[in-house]
Amino acid sequence: MNDFVRIVEVGPRDGLQNEAAMLATADKIALVDRLSATGLRSIEATSFVSPKWVPQLADAAEVMAGIRRHPGVSYPVLVPNEHGYERARAAGAGEVAVFTAASEAFNRRNINASIDESIERFVPVLARAQLDRVPVRGYVSTVLGCPYRGDVPLDDVVRVARRLHELGCHEISLGDTIGVGTPLKARRMLLAVAAEVPMAALAVHFHDTYGCALANVAACVEAGVRVADSAVAGTGGCPYARGASGNVASEDLVYMLRGMGIDTGIDLEALAETGRWLALRLGRETGSKVGRALAAA
Ligand code: HMG
Ligand code: MG
């Protein structure tokens, strides 16, 4: 396989929103700047959600003001509603991401809305984004399981992904929020969505709670997806999904894809170095096996 996979680095957002240690704003800015120098093309920089709900990212505007934007790199930010969109735009965001779920129970706890209500909130966001020529990504969470209701029917995943796509999201990221997926299930889920939404508009987003995240990405890449989310140093989780562990580590993903003959355009050494730097700032070991192996070599 000789191909290209675009990695969407979600560490500064999905990673930091759930770390026990609160990173200083200057360190968040330094993290994004370091990531910008690794060859990554998409770095989710922060999130304009309610600071009462996610205090870790209350300094979103300061982060956006402080980062040095590299040409060719996009810095999307998460927004839950029109207010978030306004804050994001005022802070200079040129790309945003909206998020909902395939499970009603999870969505209620994550954004205090039903799936339909959350999509209603996105309508004005997408309308304004279209006028502003701001690309909008859409996330569907809990695509392989929900912390509150267990199994999530595939039909629900497909329906929500299709609605986000029809609404104008250019890319739909399919999130295994609590990391319960396994490769065959992940592949089946991806192919079911790809029957309704073009594969070129899909991304996969795995958490590593049960150690299957890399295997899941491999299965989905073999099935045709070409965008994968990950977080440097394997940081993260979801504050409204108890037990959800870190995202698949970006370093491990780059290493694995390289072994599959797939280019990511990313300098693995620089990325691993950034992961170790971040782990030090967070006061813990890096969650990337590749990061640890390279440091020991
Ligand atoms: P609510 O309390 O139901 O909303 O929260 P509300 O509209 O009644 O507003 C309450 C207060 O929040 C008001 O302020 C609003 O102004 C303010 P008050 O009058 O009390 O002072 N507010 C805001 N402030 C700043 N920015 C905003 C904003 N909106 C309202 N955008 C709300 C509803 C959606 C705001 C809240 O539930 C929320 O922010 N939730 C975010 C939860 C979150 O970020 N979860 C993690 C991200 S999702 C995830 O990690 C999964 C993913 O990675 C994929 C995967 O892994 O599967 C994407
Ligand atoms: Mg996530």
Side-chain angles (χ1 to χ4, degrees):
M1 222 185 288
N2 190 8
D3 223 330
F4 185 85
V5 164
R6 179 164 58 87
I7 291 186
V8 178
E9 168 62 48
V10 295
R13 192 280 302 174
D14 202 353
L16 298 186
Q17 76 184 7
N18 205 37
E19 285 291 326
M22 190 86 111
L23 213 58
T25 306
D27 285 337
K28 293 177 182 171
I29 293 167
L31 171 62
V32 175
D33 287 346
R34 280 167 175 265
L35 290 168
S36 294
T38 64
L40 278 159
R41 297 180 183 190
S42 305
I43 304 170
E44 202 170 67
T46 184
S47 163
F48 289 87
V49 297
S50 161
K52 286 182 196 142
W53 285 63
V54 182
Q56 290 90 336
L57 303 181
D59 56 359
E62 291 91 323
V63 170
M64 290 305 282
I67 60 174
R68 266 175 288 135
R69 295 167 200 225
H70 284 222
V73 181
S74 66
Y75 300 91
V77 299
L78 217 60
V79 302
N81 50 23
E82 204 174 355
H83 182 36
Y85 181 79
E86 280 164 3
R87 289 179 59 216
R89 291 292 288 159
E95 188 167 340
V96 301
V98 294
F99 56 107
T100 185
S103 157
E104 290 288 356
F106 175 78
N107 213 44
R108 177 62 62 193
R109 285 180 178 77
N110 195 36
I111 51 175
N112 199 20
S114 69
I115 296 168
D116 284 348
E117 283 165 354
S118 65
I119 291 174
E120 280 309 305
R121 290 177 186 171
F122 303 156
V123 171
V125 172
L126 275 133
R128 291 180 64 168
Q130 201 175 11
L131 285 175
D132 298 343
R133 295 178 188 277
V134 168
V136 183
R137 182 177 221 233
Y139 280 99
V140 185
S141 293
T142 60
V143 297
L144 292 170
C146 166
Y148 309 106
R149 67 172 274 195
D151 285 344
V152 174
L154 259 188
D155 285 353
D156 293 351
V157 178
V158 173
R159 182 177 54 84
V160 176
R162 195 181 51 221
R163 280 189 73 187
L164 290 180
H165 189 245
E166 285 167 356
L167 212 58
C169 293
H170 74 96
E171 186 167 285
I172 313 296
S173 176
L174 301 165
D176 179 17
T177 317
I178 54 170
V180 290
T182 47
L184 288 182
K185 275 192 180 169
R187 178 192 164 89
R188 202 180 312 135
M189 180 277 300
L190 173 72
L191 292 177
V193 178
E196 305 268 341
V197 178
M199 185 69 94
L202 296 178
V204 290
H205 178 115
F206 290 107
H207 287 257
D208 202 33
T209 319
Y210 288 89
C212 288
L214 270 184
N216 293 339
V217 182
C220 290
V221 167
E222 280 172 351
V225 83
R226 286 296 175 270
V227 185
D229 303 354
S230 61
V232 68
T235 46
C238 176
Y240 296 97
R242 199 135 57 94
S245 80
N247 292 79
V248 63
S250 306
E251 302 90 312
D252 300 3
L253 184 55
V254 170
Y255 179 87
M256 181 192 75
L257 291 171
R258 189 196 272 179
M260 293 170 77
I262 293 175
D263 183 25
T264 58
I266 293 167
D267 176 344
L268 180 56
E269 296 286 341
L271 187 62
E273 161 58 26
T274 298
R276 290 191 296 270
W277 172 87
L278 174 60
L280 263 181
R281 309 307 286 179
L282 291 170
R284 66 168 180 77
E285 211 187 346
T286 174
S288 162
K289 287 201 170 72
V290 169
R292 289 201 293 272
L294 288 177

